[in-house]
Amino acid sequence: MAGKANRNHFPLVSGCAMTIHKSQSGTFNDVVYEYQRTHSQPLLYVALSRVTSIEGLYMVSKDNDKKCYHGRKMIHPSYLYKMNFADYR
């Protein structure tokens, strides 16, 4: 008994992945970086500086959070009361 079979074809693109540490001293046209808030600033710098242009940089996160938490300094509210803002003018 002969049956009818359908086959779907789709193109495959080869890719590779590596850790941030292994990518040091390399440059890449495209970089997909999975952003994690727990990464240190030096590690973040190494990850983002491997791409040759901003158009080739893709940042993703597991929880789809669109915020970047690096570079912001947290100041405890009690410290604000002790600051003399006149010194900073």
Side-chain angles (χ1 to χ4, degrees):
M1 184 165 168
K4 187 174 180 179
N6 290 328
R7 232 185 277 187
N8 294 325
H9 296 277
F10 52 93
L12 297 177
V13 177
S14 64
C16 69
M18 67 177 60
T19 64
I20 295 170
H21 297 290
K22 295 264 185 188
S23 72
Q24 287 186 6
S25 76
T27 55
F28 306 97
N29 293 330
D30 295 307
V31 170
V32 179
Y33 170 63
E34 185 177 338
Y35 177 76
Q36 292 181 12
R37 189 176 183 174
T38 58
H39 284 170
S40 65
Q41 281 187 324
L43 193 66
L44 180 66
Y45 170 77
V46 170
L48 300 182
S49 65
R50 301 299 96 201
V51 67
T52 56
S53 70
I54 193 72
E55 289 82 19
L57 176 62
Y58 303 93
M59 290 180 69
V60 296
S61 66
K62 285 184 180 180
D63 56 0
N64 206 18
D65 187 6
K66 304 289 186 209
K67 295 179 183 174
C68 185
Y69 295 94
H70 287 79
R72 297 180 183 171
K73 297 199 183 227
M74 296 299 293
I75 299 175
H76 195 273
S78 64
Y79 182 72
L80 292 175
Y81 295 115
K82 298 176 187 175
M83 292 177 70
N84 184 359
F85 290 104
D87 295 339
Y88 295 100
R89 291 184 196 171

